[in-house]
Amino acid sequence: MNSALALVLSLAAGLFTYHVYARYVDQRIIQADARRATPARLYMDGVDFMPTSKHVLFGYQFKSIAALGPVTGPIIAMQWGWLPAFLWVILGTMFIGWVQDYTSCMIGVRNEGQTFGALSYRLISPRGRITLLAFIFFYLILIVAAFGKIVGDMMAAVPSVPVAIVALVVVGLGAGYLIYRKHADIVYTTLGMVVLALLAIWLGTGVPIKASPMTWVIFALAFSYAGAVLPIWLYGQPINYISFYLVFLGMIGAGIGVFVGHPTFTIPAFTKWTIPLGPIWPLLFVTVACGAISGWHSLVSSSGSARQLEKETDARYVGAGAMISEMVLATLSIIIAAATFASFKDYGAALAKGPAYIFATGMSGLLNFLGISQEFGKAFAGAMYVILAITVMQLVLRVARLSTTELLGDYIPIMRNMYVTAALVAIICWALIATGTWQYIWTLFGGSNQLMAALALMLVSIWLKQTGRNWHFTFWPMLFMFATTVCALVLTGIKLFRAPALLLAGKIKPPAGQTVAMAIGGNYVSGVIAFLLVLAALVLVVDGLRVFFAARPSAEAGATQASSTAD
């Protein structure tokens, strides 16, 4: 296939989804109303609740959901061929991905900005709340530890990147101060800060900063700790807002490069049903994560954007629009992996060096079609790769801080202190990275991430049914995602339990820096965790389905529906 045709198909699918399906759900089912007071306007506290322009919030939402998933997932999934990943990215986004992001935002908006923990307590049961919070706590630690290790390795391997990341902090703080304290013009402020950030990337090619991977891991955790405890308007939101434009410029440049160079895919459309990762179902659907659907998005939408939405009618633009934009980023990743190398064998050799290598090589090649040098292209791609990860880490730590307080605050009073809870999560993540344990837990990330999506869709389905709305568009995707992710986690768990025997027999080797004994312990621990996650999800879904099938629309909901229809 020609890469330009693939990009056109992706853009057409996105426009149809946003203007037809998403509009129908927003106006006819959810009935978003600009006159309703949102939690941001009701409870404005300057920390978590803050009415925000929909354009700023779109940038925040996009950069908060777009981590490494839409890049690494599709690149790895090319081992099944380009067609399965391409179809799942398009169809998954059209019928599940944006639905989850948008409805997770609206359930928060319509319920006073409550988190999923509070919502599960009210909609399901006290046991459901504890189970979900425990699941979320562990799941978030997986993300921070895994991304922290990737960021540390990338910043050590590409010394031109650190200058850009340090500059991003400075320009982000500057943007927040100018927009919210000085009420400066948002357009001029954005332009000025983005130009400064681009200059910093260029400066980094001439002023490299070298340090060990663990030094950069500590830097990334400190960066994230600040994001977890500082007011959202001062740090997290403006940094992610400026980061959005850097990523967006990269996407625009790569997209134009696709149309100018229009390279042809060099790997087959389909290879085989089972690859070393496992069978195409269920593993493709947890390998390609954020580009189609991701449970992390539901937490960003409910605990983050729902508390910053100025009007209900902004939710489609922010929630659905950001997810559809991420679908385009995932499509560009597919194009990069499928069209950069001369053959499938060359793609395999490049994959052995890591998805980051493929992304930087492919992105610089597409930018080179526009006359941009390969040196700057690789520096920009490297900075973009780290920005995708580190800007999400800070938000994950922020949500983990909230979840930890909800989970333990009633039993251990000091856990209500946000500085303590954020530090606790950061230290646990540092320990996982320093001991190498993260390598085994990382194998569970895909399954647990998509399982979180199924649980979010279940909560939304219960809420829709209890309020007398059409629930089919969330319920059936929830069942598909639940069956797929539970099977994926079971397969992964079985593989982890089989690994020790293979290690003892010398048929596989432990990861670099690990002994056989450490690898055996890591595999057993991760295997146990995999089945505990499955058990927690089963308990939660059984409780949730019991409530779902017993749910009847409340009188208040019926009156609201009637009033809305009359309006």
Side-chain angles (χ1 to χ4, degrees):
M1 175 182 274
N2 187 285
S3 55
L5 177 59
L7 189 54
V8 167
L9 290 174
S10 176
L11 292 171
L15 289 172
F16 174 82
T17 302
Y18 183 79
H19 289 288
V20 179
Y21 189 25
R23 183 190 297 274
Y24 172 81
V25 170
D26 183 60
Q27 296 182 353
R28 303 293 295 274
I29 297 179
I30 302 298
Q31 297 174 337
D33 186 349
R35 297 167 298 179
R36 281 176 181 259
T38 62
R41 287 155 62 188
L42 284 172
Y43 307 116
M44 184 170 58
D45 62 3
V47 179
D48 292 316
F49 294 88
M50 186 77 183
T52 305
S53 159
K54 69 176 184 179
H55 302 297
V56 174
L57 197 54
F58 174 88
Y60 167 84
Q61 172 83 3
F62 175 81
K63 194 53 230 62
S64 300
I65 64 173
L68 295 178
V71 174
T72 59
I75 288 175
I76 294 172
M78 290 295 101
Q79 294 173 82
W80 281 288
W82 62 262
L83 186 59
F86 183 70
L87 289 177
W88 173 235
V89 164
I90 301 297
L91 297 177
T93 300
M94 289 182 71
F95 297 106
I96 309 180
W98 79 265
V99 170
Q100 181 213 222
D101 292 17
Y102 166 81
T103 54
S104 295
C105 183
M106 286 306 297
I107 192 176
V109 170
R110 290 285 173 88
N111 290 277
E112 301 180 327
Q114 291 182 348
T115 63
F116 274 177
L119 288 170
S120 60
Y121 180 89
R122 190 163 61 79
L123 295 177
I124 300 178
S125 67
R127 184 175 74 170
R129 171 181 175 271
I130 296 297
T131 306
L132 183 63
L133 285 175
F135 182 93
I136 290 175
F137 174 75
F138 179 75
Y139 157 71
L140 294 178
I141 284 179
L142 288 184
I143 300 179
V144 177
F147 283 8
K149 175 62 177 172
I150 292 172
V151 167
D153 287 347
M154 189 70 177
M155 292 181 74
V158 187
S160 62
V161 171
V163 170
I165 303 304
V166 172
L168 178 65
V169 177
V170 177
V171 300
L173 290 171
Y177 176 76
L178 290 173
I179 292 173
Y180 292 110
R181 281 290 183 255
K182 293 297 182 182
H183 304 290
D185 185 276
I186 190 170
V187 174
Y188 292 124
T189 301
T190 302
L191 282 173
M193 295 303 168
V194 170
V195 169
L196 288 175
L198 288 172
L199 286 173
I201 294 174
W202 171 78
L203 182 64
T205 61
V207 188
I209 301 177
K210 296 182 179 179
S212 68
M214 189 49 70
T215 300
W216 292 122
V217 165
I218 295 171
F219 168 83
L221 290 174
F223 174 96
S224 304
Y225 180 81
V229 299
L230 290 174
I232 191 77
W233 66 267
L234 176 65
Y235 191 89
Q237 187 196 82
I239 286 178
N240 279 21
Y241 173 65
I242 297 300
S243 299
F244 158 73
Y245 282 98
L246 296 177
V247 175
F248 186 67
L249 284 175
M251 290 173 61
I252 293 294
I256 296 174
V258 167
F259 287 117
V260 173
H262 50 81
T264 301
F265 288 0
T266 54
I267 69 173
F270 179 75
T271 57
K272 49 189 176 181
W273 294 106
T274 300
I275 63 173
L277 282 176
I280 194 169
W281 189 90
L283 290 175
L284 169 74
F285 302 90
V286 300
T287 302
V288 180
C290 306
I293 178 172
S294 163
W296 163 243
H297 296 191
S298 68
L299 299 179
V300 172
S301 300
S302 59
S303 300
S305 296
R307 297 178 174 192
Q308 301 173 71
L309 212 64
E310 192 167 20
K311 299 176 184 175
E312 281 193 356
T313 45
D314 294 344
R316 181 168 67 102
Y317 178 76
V318 173
M323 179 60 228
I324 291 168
S325 300
E326 190 171 2
M327 176 188 72
V328 177
L329 176 59
T331 303
L332 288 170
S333 300
I334 289 173
I335 291 172
I336 283 172
T340 296
F341 304 98
S343 65
F344 185 65
K345 183 179 179 182
D346 289 345
Y347 153 77
L351 186 61
K353 298 178 182 178
Y357 173 78
I358 291 180
F359 182 72
T361 303
M363 171 72 85
S364 62
L366 291 176
L367 294 177
N368 193 241
F369 285 126
L370 308 181
I372 297 173
S373 72
Q374 292 271 4
E375 183 186 15
F376 180 80
K378 286 187 177 179
F380 184 87
M384 183 173 163
Y385 196 83
V386 172
I387 287 171
L388 283 169
I390 200 169
T391 49
V392 168
M393 278 181 65
Q394 60 156 322
L395 290 171
V396 175
L397 199 57
R398 190 179 187 91
V399 177
R401 184 255 293 172
L402 294 170
S403 299
T404 306
T405 299
E406 278 192 89
L407 181 64
L408 302 175
D410 292 341
Y411 311 102
I412 309 173
I414 198 172
M415 288 296 121
R416 297 173 192 163
N417 185 308
M418 66 177 180
Y419 301 102
V420 173
T421 51
L424 174 67
V425 174
I427 290 171
I428 292 174
C429 294
W430 173 82
L432 289 174
I433 297 170
T435 59
T437 310
W438 74 277
Q439 299 175 79
Y440 310 102
I441 296 178
W442 170 246
T443 60
L444 306 176
F445 168 72
S448 59
N449 183 48
Q450 305 304 71
L451 187 52
M452 182 64 233
L455 299 177
L457 287 169
M458 183 186 70
L459 273 178
V460 171
S461 298
I462 294 171
W463 171 66
L464 289 172
K465 193 173 184 188
Q466 287 184 346
T467 54
R469 292 178 170 83
N470 185 332
W471 43 266
H472 293 278
F473 74 108
T474 57
F475 183 77
W476 301 113
M478 179 274 289
L479 288 184
F480 172 75
M481 292 306 302
F482 181 76
T484 300
T485 52
V486 166
C487 288
L489 277 173
V490 169
L491 284 177
T492 304
I494 292 172
K495 194 173 180 180
L496 287 165
F497 277 119
R498 286 178 174 171
L502 298 175
L503 283 162
L504 289 172
K507 294 183 178 180
I508 59 174
K509 295 181 179 178
Q514 295 274 295
T515 65
V516 171
M518 293 167 70
I520 289 174
N523 278 289
Y524 275 134
V525 169
S526 299
V528 170
I529 291 172
F531 285 104
L532 286 177
L533 286 174
V534 171
L535 180 63
L538 288 172
V539 169
L540 199 57
V541 166
V542 168
D543 286 356
L545 288 178
R546 188 180 297 125
V547 173
F548 175 82
F549 287 114
R552 296 290 183 271
S554 66
E556 181 182 355
T560 302
Q561 288 286 82
S563 173
S564 301
T565 304
D567 288 344

